[in-house]
Amino acid sequence: MADKRSRLLWRDITVFDGQHELADPMAVLVADGRVAKLCRDAELDAADLAGVTDMGHGGVMTPGLVDCHTHLVFAGSRAGEFALRLEGASYAEVAQAGGGILSTVRATRDASEDELVAATLPRLDALLADGVTTVEIKSGYGLTVADELKMLRAARRLGEIRPVRVVTTLLGAHALPLEYQDDSDAYIRLVCNEMIPAAAADGLADAVDVFCEGIAFSPAQCERVFSAAARHGLRVKAHAEQLSNLGGAALAARHGALSADHIDYLDDAGVESMAEAGTVATLLPGAYLTLRESQQPPIDALRRHGVPIAVATDANPGSSPMFMPTLMLNLACTLFRLTPREALAGMTTNGARALNLADVGRIAEGLRADLCVWDVERSNELAYAVQAGRLRQRIFDGEITQERTHER
């Protein structure tokens, strides 16, 4: 494995820079964990070549993939609900029957922090093997102050154990726990007055999320959470317009949200609010597929208004038990009619934007060298085919962290 202080050089390689595939084969020089030079081969000079390690030729280089919406830390299994949904039960019906999120809450509360880390590592490893270098991990399966913080600590530890950039999001307003079934406002007070301050004080959360939906929390309750987050210096995000249109995306945008996610039922007013605020629209085709939804997000309106579109796995035990990011590229194209370029930008540049990260998700001189080299000829092949094993090299912070043997 090459040390990140090494000078690593790729030549004659096709580069997708995070927005576009560059027209000519390029040379990419990495030094001290950054992209030191991006140019045509002929533009390399003797100083560039001094002390470099030749990392190969050909293939396609992309930014490391950014999975900007996951619920990766959890305990237990909900395979039984998969069968129930196939028999006709809706997502809401499963939840109202005591299953859904609350069944994962019970298992997650019973698990120790160490057990959560151990259970999550195989799921995280699957993402890394498919090119992820940055992952957002939400809490939301604890629903007590202690258990939410436990989840966030487990998520932070994952970034210490594996070579991956972990961004954490407090999702206390994910579901109403059983002990608050008759008083949702009291639970929101707990989130606002105890949970958010504790997560902020311990430096465990980079943002705060809510589930704005009829089976979860009202817009008024979500607004209280947004205001509490702002008081503690935390940016906000929202699960919005997944099952109905409550105006959650527009509300989140008014509070400067980094992203509004799912957005299947988003209307024109919501699109316009997101465009004005610069809020990213995060598409989650895995959940759309698993739940057999039919209401498609308003892709044409998002394009027309210039709303950045991100794509993520939504990796979770219930509605998107999927841990293959390149599958999401294919689903974003086949289900939502994104172009392959849009889908890949959604898991690189726009995914990073949804996490408020400026120096990952793109390939440009001076940016962090979080990169992937793929054994394909064109970047659109990553969305075209659902195929494991195409990742040749994964580079995190300038260091080769995964490499498949091949001829150079």
Side-chain angles (χ1 to χ4, degrees):
M1 296 294 179
D3 187 271
K4 74 177 183 179
R5 292 179 295 276
S6 300
R7 291 167 58 81
L8 311 178
L9 178 65
W10 288 263
R11 303 181 71 160
D12 190 30
I13 191 166
T14 299
V15 172
F16 179 87
D17 66 5
Q19 285 289 349
H20 302 284
E21 184 174 289
L22 304 185
D24 298 320
M26 304 295 287
V28 181
L29 175 65
V30 167
D32 297 321
R34 302 268 171 178
V35 176
K37 194 160 188 177
L38 173 64
C39 64
R40 295 177 179 84
D41 280 7
E43 296 170 347
L44 292 169
D45 57 33
D48 296 326
L49 299 175
V52 301
T53 301
D54 183 358
M55 300 308 299
H57 302 70
V60 170
M61 176 179 284
T62 70
L65 301 186
V66 178
D67 196 350
C68 67
H69 182 132
T70 84
H71 305 255
L72 209 59
V73 172
F74 62 86
S77 170
R78 282 158 61 184
E81 294 175 18
F82 180 67
L84 287 177
R85 286 197 301 270
L86 291 175
E87 292 169 3
S90 70
Y91 182 84
E93 287 169 343
V94 169
Q96 290 165 0
I101 291 171
L102 291 183
S103 66
T104 299
V105 169
R106 291 190 290 271
T108 302
R109 286 180 175 181
D110 288 343
S112 69
E113 183 181 321
D114 287 344
E115 288 170 335
L116 287 177
V117 170
T120 305
L121 277 172
R123 300 189 281 263
L124 178 61
D125 287 342
L127 299 185
L128 271 54
D130 205 36
V132 167
T133 54
T134 297
V135 61
E136 185 251 26
I137 302 177
K138 302 179 189 293
S139 65
Y141 295 131
L143 308 186
T144 68
V145 174
D147 288 306
E148 289 291 295
L149 297 185
K150 176 179 68 177
M151 290 187 68
L152 293 171
R153 285 195 302 270
R156 291 283 203 218
R157 282 176 58 188
L158 292 166
E160 299 168 358
I161 297 170
R162 293 290 190 266
V164 62
R165 189 163 287 102
V166 173
V167 177
T168 54
T169 298
L170 173 66
L171 181 56
H174 192 197
L176 192 61
L178 287 174
E179 54 268 34
Y180 285 91
Q181 286 297 306
D182 297 323
D183 196 348
S184 60
D185 282 335
Y187 180 67
I188 290 298
R189 284 196 294 274
L190 175 74
V191 172
C192 294
N193 298 337
E194 297 184 41
M195 200 176 287
I196 291 173
D202 290 350
L204 290 174
D206 299 304
V208 171
D209 201 345
V210 299
F211 188 10
C212 186
E213 191 53 73
I215 63 171
F217 299 99
S218 70
Q221 291 171 325
C222 293
E223 185 158 33
R224 289 163 57 191
V225 175
F226 291 156
S227 296
R231 288 195 296 272
H232 291 276
L234 294 172
R235 299 291 299 272
V236 299
K237 305 164 72 73
H239 289 58
E241 276 69 81
Q242 180 182 7
L243 306 173
S244 63
N245 182 11
L246 298 183
L251 170 66
R254 289 197 295 273
H255 284 265
L258 293 170
S259 69
D261 303 13
H262 288 291
I263 59 163
D264 298 348
Y265 286 82
L266 183 66
D267 59 16
D268 285 345
V271 173
E272 292 171 6
S273 295
M274 291 175 65
E276 183 176 348
T279 298
V280 175
T282 301
L283 305 183
L284 304 172
Y288 184 93
L289 177 71
T290 300
L291 299 177
R292 297 188 294 173
E293 296 292 347
S294 58
Q295 176 73 29
Q296 292 196 348
I299 302 301
D300 288 341
L302 294 171
R303 288 171 175 151
R304 189 166 60 250
H305 289 277
V307 176
I309 298 173
V311 176
T313 63
D314 193 18
N316 74 72
S319 62
S320 188
M322 301 184 185
F323 310 96
M324 187 179 186
T326 55
L327 170 61
M328 298 304 116
L329 299 178
N330 176 274
L331 293 179
C333 295
T334 57
L335 297 178
F336 300 150
R337 299 297 187 265
L338 263 61
T339 67
R341 184 199 67 79
E342 288 174 322
L344 190 51
M347 238 178 192
T348 52
T349 297
N350 292 337
R353 183 169 177 175
L355 299 180
N356 199 32
L357 298 175
D359 60 351
V360 299
R362 295 181 294 132
I363 300 178
E365 292 181 2
L367 297 187
R368 288 185 183 274
D370 287 2
L371 308 166
C372 288
V373 178
W374 308 86
D375 280 322
V376 296
E377 294 184 4
R378 293 294 178 187
S379 59
N380 60 15
E381 294 178 44
L382 296 175
Y384 158 70
V386 180
Q387 180 181 344
R390 293 173 294 178
L391 184 62
R392 180 192 303 172
Q393 293 161 327
R394 177 184 180 274
I395 303 96
F396 177 72
D397 209 18
E399 181 179 0
I400 305 292
T401 60
Q402 181 175 331
E403 185 168 24
R404 191 176 70 252
T405 302
H406 66 286
E407 292 186 4
R408 290 181 181 164

